[in-house]
Amino acid sequence: MTAGATMRDNAPVSTITASAATADFAWTLLTLALFAGWTFWIGSSHEAWFDEAQAWLLARDSTPYQLLVERVRYEGSPGLWHLILWTAIRCGLPYSLLFLISGSFAVAGAALILTKAPFPRWLRTGAICSYFFAYQFAAVARSYAADLLLVPLAACFFPGRFEKPWRYAFVLGLIANLNAHGFVAAGALGVEWAWQASWRSWRRKRLPTWHVAGALAVTAFMGLCALATAWQPADNYYIRAEHSNILGTFTEILRAAFIDRILVFSTARPGGLDAAAGLALSIAAFLSLLQLILRGRYVAAGFTPLAAVLIFSVTTYASLWHGGLLFLFMLFGVWINWPEGKGSVHRDASIALATVFVIQAAQAGATGLWDRTHVFSPGREAAQIMAEVREASPQVRIAAYGYLAFSAQPWLPSNPFANYHNGSVTPAYIVWRRDETWDPFGSETMWRELLRQNPDMIVASAPALTADRAAMIEIACQNGYAVDKALAGELHWRGWRFASDDLLILQHRPCV
């Protein structure tokens, strides 16, 4: 035996523990610094697209009363995210730095996972490298960014929800006020908490303590506020049947949450065996993690938010990015039940998490690097063109076609489109009421009518030109309009092209 080994063997336990704690702290600090650097580096080059722009415009051009009472309900979500943006705008944050808000939520959530999550160090690191932490919710500034902080915060506060209930109550209320999927998940957790409080009270033959009852009342009140602000008006034009295939939606949301494919660096849309393999791995991971939850101490708290998100997704509404909420609440369920897991359950859950994290980390890296070198949305470029044209000729009439053209609006001080609300400076955001005469989705009839109005310039959303784009451009040519510039934009999801966000600038001149 060497002298060094003898010294280590004889070292006091406190010294070894302190050394391990120092090493863990250094590792945490380095990992968090690298994550923050990556997050803000990617975010600084991300071009915000329509959904990000719409929330910003609503916050910019509204009072808090108008936001919460009149306008947010048409967006299909509660208003907390819009209030965050409203506050940031009044504090002087420019639209170009919107990524700082989503990125800061991501970094704060990552810090909680690295320092508080019960997983081993390598799984904590893998969690913050997952797709939703390392790209989608961190770079694309939408309400889900705040969930990156609030869901881990709820997991931290969960064990003490009866001893220190106010903080847990407040976090659940905030989650409920971010988005519809968060509302149903927070509602499920609130019901579970109320049930457990009632059960404890019945066993002890006395009423819950006033601070637990009061905290539950606060959560219920915040939930009612979320419901009131998000309640859909009857004249909401955007309400559409998103899906009728429950099984198809279930498999899609499961793949979106965990593993959508195995060819992680492919830029083609997943399909065939690639998508089938991703679904098989997603189901395996889901069942392994669900097994840990169902064998844990807090079965109801781990299971009910997952069930709520899934049921809401398959029966009401879901898009690919809503898989991130399922991912986060699965992480919540595993987190609060992890200390109780043992043996094969822990092993299977660790393998499942590792598989999901590795694949998602590769996709986050590929998508983030793509975003650094490509245009996500050309709104800023379109705004610069309009500003230059307006400066050269203040009386120029500019028209918009398709809602994606409004991604240019936050870069301008007011509405520049003559065919939207008769050229009024406000609103600059899309109004989703049915009585609106301007159709945000476009049609051939609207296109022909717009050309007959004879504007000097048209900013057209290429996807809104219907499937036969060439025919629509030919119609414009016949009416004396030519495509002056084609501004490329592509919405990417996990490394593959999800949708086009191209904008076309048409000028009133002979076309060739």
Side-chain angles (χ1 to χ4, degrees):
M1 181 179 292
T2 64
T6 302
M7 291 178 64
R8 284 194 300 269
D9 292 341
N10 294 330
V13 174
S14 59
T15 302
I16 297 173
T17 303
S19 177
T22 301
D24 190 65
F25 176 77
W27 172 265
T28 298
L29 200 61
L30 176 61
T31 304
L32 186 62
L34 292 173
F35 177 82
W38 163 266
T39 299
F40 293 123
W41 182 63
I42 295 301
S44 65
S45 63
H46 171 75
E47 299 89 359
W49 74 296
F50 170 77
D51 280 10
E52 298 167 85
Q54 174 77 350
W56 180 274
L57 291 166
L58 278 164
R60 188 191 72 180
D61 297 344
S62 305
T63 65
Y65 178 86
Q66 290 172 324
L67 269 177
L68 299 180
V69 177
E70 301 172 4
R71 298 173 180 174
V72 164
R73 66 184 66 252
Y74 287 93
E75 304 301 306
S77 71
L80 178 57
W81 178 249
H82 300 81
L83 282 180
I84 292 171
L85 296 181
W86 186 92
T87 303
I89 292 168
R90 271 64 186 179
C91 289
L93 187 78
Y95 188 55
S96 59
L97 297 182
L98 174 59
F99 71 93
L100 290 180
I101 299 177
S102 55
S104 296
F105 278 122
V107 172
L112 279 180
I113 289 176
L114 289 174
T115 58
K116 301 296 184 180
F119 318 132
R121 181 194 293 172
W122 60 278
L123 276 181
R124 281 179 277 142
T125 304
I128 69 169
C129 294
S130 59
Y131 180 73
F132 299 100
F133 269 94
Y135 179 75
Q136 185 63 37
F137 291 172
V140 183
R142 301 181 66 192
S143 65
Y144 316 111
D147 286 305
L148 295 178
L149 170 62
L150 292 178
V151 175
L153 203 57
C156 289
F157 294 158
F158 177 84
R161 68 196 191 283
F162 291 107
E163 292 75 25
K164 298 179 179 180
W166 296 101
R167 57 186 190 179
Y168 183 66
F170 190 59
V171 168
L172 286 189
L174 292 177
I175 292 173
N177 279 272
L178 280 172
N179 46 69
H181 289 73
F183 173 82
V184 297
L189 287 171
V191 170
E192 183 275 339
W193 188 20
W195 170 260
Q196 293 294 338
S198 300
W199 175 249
R200 285 161 61 102
S201 174
W202 180 82
R203 290 178 61 190
R204 297 177 181 180
K205 307 299 182 183
R206 64 173 184 266
L207 294 175
T209 57
W210 70 267
H211 61 292
V212 171
L216 281 165
V218 166
T219 300
F221 175 76
M222 294 177 74
L224 289 173
C225 290
L227 190 63
T229 56
W231 193 264
Q232 291 298 283
D235 62 342
N236 191 345
Y237 177 75
Y238 194 66
I239 297 177
R240 298 181 171 202
E242 292 293 325
H243 48 252
S244 57
N245 183 351
I246 291 180
L247 180 60
T249 304
F250 174 79
T251 57
E252 182 179 87
I253 202 74
L254 208 61
R255 288 177 53 238
F258 301 108
I259 300 170
D260 70 333
R261 70 190 317 162
I262 56 173
L263 301 178
V264 294
F265 295 112
S266 173
T267 57
R269 182 181 289 267
L273 291 176
D274 188 21
L279 176 60
L281 287 175
S282 292
I283 293 174
F286 181 80
L287 292 178
S288 294
L289 299 174
L290 191 61
Q291 181 185 35
L292 182 141
I293 292 172
L294 295 179
R295 294 190 181 186
R297 181 179 178 183
Y298 305 110
V299 176
F303 177 76
T304 54
L306 295 177
V309 170
L310 280 171
I311 291 171
F312 183 81
S313 296
V314 301
T315 61
T316 306
Y317 177 76
S319 294
L320 288 176
W321 38 84
H322 294 128
L325 276 299
L326 181 61
F327 172 85
L328 286 176
F329 283 104
M330 175 61 85
L331 197 64
F332 171 89
V334 172
W335 181 323
I336 64 174
N337 285 289
W338 188 270
E340 302 300 324
K342 296 178 182 179
S344 62
V345 175
H346 251 186
R347 182 199 62 210
D348 294 345
S350 297
I351 293 172
L353 287 175
T355 304
V356 171
F357 292 162
V358 167
I359 291 176
Q360 288 198 13
Q363 293 175 321
T367 311
L369 292 176
W370 179 92
D371 203 352
R372 281 289 305 180
T373 55
H374 296 77
V375 177
F376 200 85
S377 176
R380 186 173 193 170
E381 190 175 355
Q384 290 173 342
I385 292 172
M386 286 189 282
E388 291 169 0
V389 170
R390 182 61 58 83
E391 184 177 4
S393 180
Q395 302 304 315
V396 67
R397 293 177 63 249
I398 304 173
Y401 177 81
Y403 71 92
L404 292 178
F406 277 59
S407 62
Q409 293 274 42
W411 301 104
L412 301 168
S414 60
N415 169 47
F417 298 127
N419 67 326
Y420 187 68
H421 283 254
N422 297 316
S424 173
V425 294
T426 58
Y429 52 86
I430 297 288
V431 177
W432 297 110
R433 289 197 308 267
R434 293 185 186 276
D435 60 359
E436 286 289 307
T437 57
W438 190 86
D439 186 352
F441 298 101
S443 65
E444 184 176 334
T445 300
M446 181 182 174
W447 183 242
R448 290 181 181 276
E449 175 60 29
L450 174 59
L451 295 171
R452 282 195 291 270
Q453 294 173 10
N454 205 34
D456 300 300
M457 174 189 289
I458 301 173
V459 180
S461 165
L465 292 175
T466 73
D468 194 357
R469 185 182 306 179
M472 300 283 273
I473 293 176
E474 178 60 27
I475 293 171
C477 186
Q478 294 169 1
N479 285 268
Y481 286 87
V483 176
D484 187 60
K485 293 185 187 303
L487 309 180
E490 290 186 2
L491 308 184
H492 269 231
W493 169 265
R494 295 198 177 192
W496 53 272
R497 185 178 184 268
F498 170 66
S500 167
D501 196 19
D502 296 352
L503 292 178
L504 302 179
I505 307 297
L506 291 89
Q507 295 277 14
H508 203 338
R509 61 177 174 79
C511 63
V512 178

